[in-house]
Amino acid sequence: MNALSDSTLDVTSDPLVIAGKTYRSRLLTGTGKFKDLDETRRATEAAGAEIVTVAIRRTNIGQDRNAPNLLDALPLSRYTILPNTAGCYTAEDAVRTCRLARELLDGHTLIKLEVLGDQRTLFPDVVQTLAAAETLVKEGFEVMVYTSDDPILAKRLEEIGCVAVMPLAAPIGSGLGIQNRYNLLEIVENAKVPVLVDAGVGTASDAAIAMELGCDGVLMNTAIAGAKDPVLMAHAMKLAVEAGRAAFRAGRIPRKRYASASSPLDGTIAG
């Protein structure tokens, strides 16, 4: 059988499922920091993303009829819009922002919750995040939640009813890559909902590592929008996520301290 036709390489046989909906792409992208909507559109297409996150407080999706509308570039017929609560520092503000998003998007309930602790680190305020998550789940929202890489907290958010947990790899926009792979492994191995790395990815190898660890997906914005060529970087990230997922499914060889022969010794001619 031609390897390229093997079903194990077909992403349709290994879909990402979030809140009961199936997606082919495991790369989620942001919509901020691009120079204009055309670049946003081209980068999103190059990434192959199907879910795009939108900062409701910073992006026009219909609030201002006199300003360019993001939904003209990324139509709802093609993309799942994931409103996020970027810029919120309290549970109350985050909940209010999600309610606004639901009104603007005609009852849309899938949201990305993030409640930040301070402006310097942009680390999540886990106490406020838990409070907001509990309220939003009770109100019928499907919550994908940005959190620290704490396995206990990730499990608690899952138990509350969040449909995905999104631990950071490193601080938002830092580009530092995966800083604590062992915590991420612990989260992945104990989760019953999708785990997506959110924040800290800088280049394609970072995305591949996240996927090789067994994460279900990666969300990124700065790594693409801040690149010298955002569209080309988006394409690189698409390939990295696909390669990392395939490597995870294939199963890597064990690490060893010493060399081992590539060719078998049994049956060779004795010297």
Side-chain angles (χ1 to χ4, degrees):
M1 178 182 289
N2 185 330
L4 292 178
S5 65
D6 193 319
S7 63
T8 60
L9 300 181
D10 182 359
V11 294
T12 61
S13 69
D14 179 39
L16 171 64
V17 181
I18 296 178
K21 187 171 181 178
T22 299
Y23 300 93
R24 290 169 56 92
S25 175
R26 292 176 178 271
L27 175 58
L28 291 67
T29 57
T31 53
K33 303 183 179 180
F34 292 99
K35 67 179 183 181
D36 54 35
L37 288 183
D38 182 63
E39 184 176 77
T40 305
R41 176 189 59 78
R42 291 186 295 115
T44 305
E45 290 176 351
E50 296 172 284
I51 302 176
V52 292
T53 185
V54 177
I56 293 299
R57 289 188 161 199
R58 303 168 182 164
T59 307
N60 180 38
I61 57 171
Q63 307 97 307
D64 185 350
R65 296 183 180 180
N66 298 315
N69 189 333
L70 177 70
L71 299 184
D72 291 334
L74 303 177
L76 291 170
S77 59
R78 182 172 179 182
Y79 298 99
T80 293
I81 300 299
L82 181 62
N84 70 57
T85 60
C88 292
Y89 291 86
T90 68
E92 182 180 359
D93 282 349
V95 170
R96 185 185 303 113
T97 300
C98 290
R99 291 168 178 162
L100 172 62
R102 182 167 56 187
E103 292 181 12
L104 289 170
L105 294 171
D106 298 324
H108 183 88
T109 56
L110 183 67
I111 56 95
K112 180 196 167 190
L113 171 64
E114 54 182 89
V115 186
L116 304 177
D118 63 74
Q119 294 184 0
R120 187 177 72 85
T121 68
L122 299 182
F123 283 143
D125 182 324
V126 296
V127 174
Q128 294 293 308
T129 297
L130 282 166
E134 288 181 334
T135 297
L136 291 167
V137 169
K138 288 178 182 178
E139 292 189 8
F141 285 94
E142 296 164 316
V143 181
M144 300 174 65
V145 57
Y146 167 65
T147 181
S148 65
D149 59 358
D150 179 346
I152 305 303
L153 178 62
K155 195 63 180 177
R156 176 62 179 138
L157 288 165
E158 177 187 320
E159 291 169 349
I160 285 173
C162 294
V163 299
V165 293
M166 307 177 73
L168 53 79
I172 292 174
S174 68
L176 289 173
I178 311 298
Q179 292 299 297
N180 195 338
R181 64 181 63 195
Y182 300 105
N183 275 24
L184 288 178
L185 273 173
E186 188 70 18
I187 292 171
V188 167
E189 290 174 355
N190 289 283
K192 296 180 181 178
V193 297
V195 176
L196 298 92
V197 160
D198 179 14
V201 169
T203 191
S205 58
D206 300 330
I209 289 170
M211 298 306 296
E212 288 169 7
L213 289 172
C215 293
D216 296 282
V218 181
L219 187 151
M220 65 183 74
N221 185 191
T222 305
I224 293 175
K228 291 181 180 179
D229 186 335
V231 176
L232 183 58
M233 183 60 82
H235 176 65
M237 292 298 190
K238 175 180 184 291
L239 299 179
V241 168
E242 291 176 354
R245 180 64 180 180
F248 170 73
R249 294 177 67 197
R252 64 157 293 137
I253 63 171
R255 290 180 171 88
K256 300 178 182 178
R257 289 186 61 195
Y258 304 105
S260 91
S262 297
S263 302
L265 297 178
D266 293 343
T268 59
I269 300 173

